[in-house]
Amino acid sequence: MSTPVTRRRSVPITSTGIVFIVLVLTIIAGAILTAIAGRNFFSPGNISAILTGTSILGFIAIGQTLVILAGSLDLSVPYVTSLASLLAGVQMAGQTGNIVLGVVVALGVSALIGLVTGLVVAVLDVHGFIASLGMGLILAGYLGSNYKGSAGSAPREFRLIGATNIGPVPVSTLIMLACAALVILLLRRTRAGHHLYAVGGNREVARMSGLRTVTPVVMAHTLCALLAGMAGLLLLARLSVGSPTIGSQGGYDLMSIAAVVLGGTVLAGGKGNILGTLGGVAIFAVMDNVMGVMEVNPFLKDVVRGIVIVAAVAVYARRTAGRRPARFEKPSLADAALEEAR
């Protein structure tokens, strides 16, 4: 009498799981290298420095994730960040009573820029790469012709946002994480979030299914610019003055895209999540901190970042090719659930 053989299927690790495994390995390697250099990686000051490094890029990368999920790109974010820091600084002019006005003007103009870019992409059917590149050039020209250097001044009460910690955790990091939580709720719990995934996955199929394909794309670009504006406000709080080059000097356009891709979001759109992006941002922050302690050449830093990005994309590409179902084989419910988790 034959006994039934029970086949156990191994549960594959999701892309988000891989990101956080790599983050843990990066932290372990960083702790060892930092100890060799005679420093304590887990000291409160170093942890605070790493978390501070995640805040600015985190804001922009969260917005960039929304845009990429919608099947677009936004290369204008560094210029929006610079413009927001200048507008808020000039409006505040060192006066506590002008803080609210400065914040409203900076975020309002940022959202308007994103709205225009989104309409160009969705209504005029211009690819996001071109539309945001053009918007970035317009903003760069405006900043270069109207601001010859730092301008404005943030009052002391506003600067406390960038200087206050709760334990080793900066307040700016907590604000960034709160924004991330709201965006996660938007993507998972609202109809607009589900439509964003659908339009990014296949815009034509979404349109034929009765979805309004313009709204999710415009929403993604508007929120992306709004979050870039918040990054500008945070930079103003740290530096106390607005700067026309602070965004481009940080390379936030390419760095945010790199963090999103490293976090497992598909560059073609329709697949990814905010948690993976936060993991990607944290990996870059740890790497930069460790290379700073080791006094690595800045050009070598870019080489290391490039190798990590290419390796991550190669791993995701091989996983995608390896899990294609056999022809005529119907995927099980478990497979469908795992596919959704990725």
Side-chain angles (χ1 to χ4, degrees), residues 13 26 67 72 126 148 150 162 175 185 191 208 226 251 258 299 312 324 342:
I13 304 174
T26 305
V67 172
S72 184
V126 178
K148 302 304 179 186
S150 300
I175 297 174
L185 288 176
R191 184 176 297 177
M208 295 179 68
L226 189 65
F299 296 106
R324 287 172 183 163
R342 293 188 187 103

Side-chain angles (χ1 to χ4, degrees), residues 75-76 128-140:
L75 300 180
S76 66
F129 180 90
I130 302 299
S132 62
L133 179 63
M135 179 61 76
L137 290 174
I138 293 172
L139 295 176

